[in-house]
């Protein structure tokens, strides 16, 4: 079996993954459907952005596929690999962010991507990356345990070391340094993954992508009908502000997309439709809102619960 990178196989998988995720989310919502917006990039490549808006379950869901390429890497891609500066490159990926209507349903994010530099050269440099993470507004230990167990089981066939390593990487990455707090309860995050050769790395990559819906959909199904009022909605909008802060200030994918001349609407479709910022606000001690900070927004061995 060849170990040379197979871009066509990666692209076919990602297009199918986008289709499957959109079908599952439409089924769970029951009223809204995704609108597709194909686009092209002047510097090379393009993609198809899909957005579901104003659904009964999902206030906004964006699932985007992109395959872009260029002749020179942007600074965000060469900061840790200066030897790649000036090299031609290609990047393929599916990225999604789901903002539910009900505050008891968590926001979720997933991204799986493949990158290759100097693809036509004698020694192309390539790697896989991605993962998924969960951002609840109200904490439920059984939801967190299910999310992490599904993540753990997805990569378990490829070695016992992957889940703890990639869980920690996720906890460290999705962290708002300027506030000293995690964005959510984590999941999996990996990057620069090529150590096992192309075929084995591609298998891990597919396992992660395929695990997203089994991780998220049962939580949505369980929580989407929970009653809520203005207090819960107000808290949800406030916490969405943290999501916006991370995506705009820290997220490397956002920076790469903007620096590489990507399509702004597709890059920023991850942002929630409504959000609230309050000055110097803290929830009342002992409330369920305060418990999100004290009991959930900290690294824990959720899969062991």
């Amino acid at each position: 079996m060849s170990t040379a990178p197979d871009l066509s196989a990666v692209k076919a998988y990602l297009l199918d993954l986008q289709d499957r995720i959109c079908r599952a989310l439409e089924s769970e919502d029951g009223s809204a459907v995704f609108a597709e917006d194909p686009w092209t990039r002047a510097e090379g490549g393009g993609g198809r952005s899909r957005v579901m808006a104003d659904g009964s379950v999902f206030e906004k869901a964006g699932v985007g596929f992109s395959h872009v390429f260029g002749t020179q890497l942007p600074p965000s891609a060469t900061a840790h690999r200066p030897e790649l500066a000036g090299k031609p490159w290609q990047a393929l990926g599916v990225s999604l962010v789901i903002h539910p209507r009900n505050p008891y349903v968590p926001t979720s994010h997933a991204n799986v991507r493949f990158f290759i530099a100097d693809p036509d050269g004698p020694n192309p440099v390539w790697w896989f990356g991605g993962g998924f993470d969960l951002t609840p507004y109200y904490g439920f230990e059984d939801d967190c345990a299910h999310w992490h167990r599904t993540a753990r089981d997805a990569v378990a066939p490829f070695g016992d070391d992957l889940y703890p390593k990639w869980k920690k990487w996720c906890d460290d990455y999705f962290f708002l340094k300027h506030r000293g707090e995690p964005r959510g309860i984590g999941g999996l995050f990996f990057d620069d993954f090529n150590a096992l050769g192309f075929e084995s790395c591609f298998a891990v990559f597919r396992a992660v992508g395929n695990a997203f819906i089994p991780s998220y959909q049962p939580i949505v199904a369980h929580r989407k009908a929970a009653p809520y009022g203005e207090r819960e909605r107000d808290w949800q909008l406030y916490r969405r502000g943290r999501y916006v802060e991370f995506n705009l200030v820290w997220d490397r994918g956002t920076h790469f997309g903007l620096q590489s001349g990507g399509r702004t609407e597709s890059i920023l479709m991850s942002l929630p439709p409504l959000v609230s910022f309050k000055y110097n606000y803290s929830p009342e001690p002992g409330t369920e809102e305060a418990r999100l900070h004290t009991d959930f927004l900290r690294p824990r061995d959720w899969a062991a619960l």
Side-chain angles (χ1 to χ4, degrees):
M1 188 175 290
S2 171
T3 58
D6 186 346
L7 268 73
S8 63
V10 175
K11 184 171 185 176
Y13 168 74
L14 290 170
L15 288 168
D16 177 66
L17 179 66
Q18 185 191 33
D19 288 341
R20 288 187 283 121
I21 290 173
C22 289
R23 285 196 299 268
L25 294 175
E26 287 177 345
S27 174
E28 195 61 48
D29 188 90
S31 65
V33 297
F34 280 92
E36 180 170 295
D37 183 17
W39 54 275
T40 57
R41 177 175 171 272
E43 294 83 355
R48 57 187 197 187
S49 298
R50 292 178 179 171
V51 176
M52 176 195 293
D54 299 321
S56 59
V57 175
F58 303 116
E59 192 171 5
K60 181 184 177 185
V63 184
F65 164 81
S66 63
H67 179 194
V68 297
F69 43 89
T71 57
Q72 263 191 322
L73 282 164
S76 60
T78 58
H80 302 293
R81 290 178 177 258
E83 73 276 10
L84 299 182
K87 298 286 188 181
W89 57 274
Q90 295 194 43
L92 300 83
V94 164
S95 182
L96 64 93
V97 175
I98 302 167
H99 294 291
R101 186 174 298 281
N102 191 314
Y104 290 110
V105 181
T107 281
S108 66
H109 159 260
N111 173 270
V112 282
R113 58 191 180 274
F114 178 72
F115 180 88
I116 186 166
D118 202 15
D120 299 320
N123 296 298
V125 177
W126 58 268
W127 63 82
F128 290 97
F132 47 78
D133 65 287
L134 196 70
T135 306
Y137 304 98
Y138 289 91
F140 298 97
E141 289 191 343
D142 50 345
D143 291 354
C144 299
H146 165 78
W147 179 262
H148 275 274
R149 285 174 188 156
T150 310
R152 178 196 63 192
D153 295 348
V155 297
F158 306 98
D160 293 337
D161 63 319
L162 289 186
Y163 170 72
K165 180 168 66 176
W166 290 355
K167 176 191 180 297
K168 183 181 186 304
W169 201 344
C170 191
D171 289 337
D172 292 344
Y173 180 75
F174 292 103
F175 187 81
L176 287 84
K177 300 180 183 70
H178 62 289
R179 293 197 181 269
E181 68 179 47
R183 186 171 84 174
I185 59 111
L188 296 173
F189 181 86
F190 66 101
D191 206 358
D192 301 322
F193 182 57
N194 57 17
L196 305 179
F198 177 79
E199 292 295 343
S200 294
C201 288
F202 188 25
V204 178
F205 178 77
R206 295 194 303 270
V208 172
N210 294 343
F212 173 73
I213 286 297
S215 299
Y216 187 55
Q217 193 167 5
I219 298 174
V220 177
H222 185 49
R223 304 289 174 194
K224 67 182 182 180
Y228 67 91
E230 289 186 15
R231 169 179 170 166
E232 291 84 2
R233 177 64 166 169
D234 190 54
W235 174 245
Q236 179 194 46
L237 297 184
Y238 168 72
R239 287 297 309 171
R240 281 179 177 177
R242 297 293 202 266
Y243 209 91
V244 170
E245 289 180 24
F246 181 86
N247 276 25
L248 296 183
V249 177
W250 297 109
D251 188 66
R252 293 208 309 263
T254 301
H255 297 169
F256 176 86
L258 295 175
Q259 290 175 3
S260 62
R263 184 171 183 262
T264 301
E265 285 298 305
S266 298
I267 296 163
L268 298 182
M269 75 177 182
S270 62
L271 300 180
L274 295 172
V275 64
S276 170
F277 290 92
K278 297 182 180 182
Y279 178 74
N280 204 25
Y281 172 75
S282 294
E284 289 291 326
T287 61
E288 289 301 304
E289 291 81 6
R291 283 191 66 236
L292 180 72
H293 289 273
T294 58
D295 297 0
F296 290 88
L297 295 186
R298 57 186 182 88
R300 289 174 62 180
D301 187 2
W302 294 110
L305 285 179

